[in-house]
Amino acid sequence: MSGDSARISGSTRFIALIGHPVVQVKSPEPLNRWFDEHAAGAVILPMDVQSDRVGAFLEAMRATENCIGVSVTMPHKQAAFALADEVSDRARQVRAANILRRTTDGRLVGDMVDGIGMMTALEANGVSVVSRHVLVVGAGGAGTAIIHAAAEKGAAVITVIEADVARAREVVSGVSTRHPDIRVRTDLPASDTVDIAINASPAGMKPGDPHPFPLERLAGSTIIADVVTRPALTPWLVAAREQGLKIQAGAEMTLAQLSIQLNFWGFPAEAVQFSKRDRA
C-alpha cells in the first residue's frame, strides 16, 4: 500500500478478518489497496482466532469504536451467525454469516454472501446455473450458501455431497421446501452427468488431501470450481485442468463478492475492479 490512507493513525478505522487459519485469505490485499486508492482511512487486518475465543473476540469488537465490522472465514461462519445481534434472511437460511457490520451502538449485523460470490464468479466465466445440474461438495457455511444461491438462480438439479448425514438432510430439506420444483438429493446416480461441480469443503488445503469428488464422474462437466484459496490451485483443480476441463479457482469467488462487502460496510463501491495479481 501507499499514500496517506495506508498510514495507521488514531483516526484509522478497521475491519477484522477472522478465521483459523488466516494465512490463506486473499481479500486483504485488494481491499487495502481500494481503501488506499479511495483515501478511506480504513484497513482490513487478518486475525487468527481459535474457535473457543470467537465469542470473546466479537464482544471486544462490539466495544471497539473504530471497528467497522468483521469479515469471517472458515471455521467461524456458523459461530458468527449465532453470535450476531441481527442477521439477513440470506444468513438465516444458511445459519452462517461471513460478514458482520458494527452499528454505532455496538450491535453486530450479519449477512452471508458466499453464494452470491460463487454465482457471480461463475457468470464471469460464462457459466450459468439456470436449468443445470450443480454438484456441491461440503454443506458448511459456504457450501450451504452456494447451494441456496444455485437454487435461487434456477438450477434444475442440485446434488449435495456431505459426510455429515444429518447436515446434508437438513440442507436438502431447506432447499426443497423453498424450491419444490428443484430436484435436490444427496447421491449421484451412475447414469447422471454433472454440469457444474463445486468443492466447498476444506479438501485440498493440506498436502495429501484426497480429491473432494472423483474427476472420472465429472468428465462432461462445463466447469470445476473450488472455494479453497490456498493453494491457489488445489490438486483437484490442477488434475481437472490437465484433463481438459475448465476450472475456477477459489480466489475468484472471494474477489467477486468484495464490492458487496464494501457496500455492506458503508463504502460506496459500485464496481470494484481487481487485477490478475489479486487472483494469484
Side-chain angles (χ1 to χ4, degrees):
M1 298 190 300
S2 63
D4 290 342
S5 64
R7 299 175 187 148
I8 305 296
S9 72
S11 62
T12 301
R13 298 182 299 155
F14 75 94
I15 296 159
L17 191 168
I18 65 169
H20 182 65
V22 291
V23 294
Q24 79 284 358
V25 296
K26 293 294 184 182
S27 56
E29 184 176 350
L31 280 176
N32 281 326
R33 187 182 308 120
W34 189 91
F35 290 144
D36 183 27
E37 292 170 351
H38 292 80
V43 294
I44 182 168
L45 303 170
M47 299 182 181
D48 194 332
V49 179
Q50 294 277 358
S51 295
D52 61 350
R53 300 299 179 90
V54 173
F57 182 90
L58 293 182
E59 191 60 32
M61 294 303 98
R62 285 186 175 91
T64 305
E65 296 291 337
N66 64 327
C67 175
I68 298 168
V70 183
S71 175
V72 187
T73 190
M74 294 187 291
H76 300 331
K77 296 176 185 181
Q78 287 88 352
F81 168 83
L83 293 165
D85 300 298
E86 179 184 341
V87 295
S88 67
D89 288 341
R90 194 160 45 207
R92 192 172 292 108
Q93 284 179 25
V94 179
R95 301 191 65 78
N98 75 324
I99 46 177
L100 300 170
R101 180 178 65 249
R102 183 188 180 278
T103 65
T104 55
D105 60 354
R107 299 172 70 251
L108 296 177
V109 180
D111 199 356
M112 181 54 159
V113 295
D114 277 341
I116 296 174
M118 178 58 73
M119 296 303 109
T120 302
L122 288 171
E123 289 165 5
N125 280 305
V127 176
S128 170
V129 304
V130 177
S131 301
R132 309 298 289 277
H133 180 179
V134 180
L135 179 143
V136 180
V137 181
T144 303
I146 291 167
I147 291 163
H148 278 274
E152 293 285 347
K153 283 286 188 179
V157 181
I158 301 175
T159 298
V160 179
I161 304 299
E162 166 58 54
D164 186 326
V165 175
R167 178 182 292 176
R169 287 174 178 168
E170 181 180 1
V171 173
V172 168
S173 176
V175 175
S176 298
T177 299
R178 283 179 169 268
H179 306 277
D181 295 335
I182 298 176
R183 186 181 176 192
V184 190
R185 77 278 180 93
T186 58
D187 65 300
L188 181 65
S191 59
D192 283 17
T193 58
V194 173
D195 298 307
I196 300 162
I198 302 168
N199 174 43
S201 78
M205 290 182 68
K206 297 177 182 178
D209 278 352
H211 286 176
F213 196 79
L215 285 173
E216 57 266 25
R217 299 294 312 275
L218 306 173
S221 297
T222 302
I223 195 167
I224 309 295
D226 213 319
V227 304
V228 173
T229 56
R230 183 166 177 166
L233 291 181
T234 61
W236 191 55
L237 290 185
V238 172
R241 185 172 61 182
E242 290 173 349
Q243 294 180 25
L245 294 167
K246 185 173 184 176
I247 65 170
Q248 177 178 300
E252 297 182 59
M253 181 190 81
T254 299
L255 298 171
Q257 60 181 287
L258 294 191
S259 294
I260 300 168
Q261 294 188 10
L262 285 168
N263 288 330
F264 180 78
W265 288 317
F267 297 98
E270 292 184 5
V272 181
Q273 299 297 322
F274 298 102
S275 66
K276 290 182 179 179
R277 63 178 170 168
D278 293 323
R279 302 175 187 272

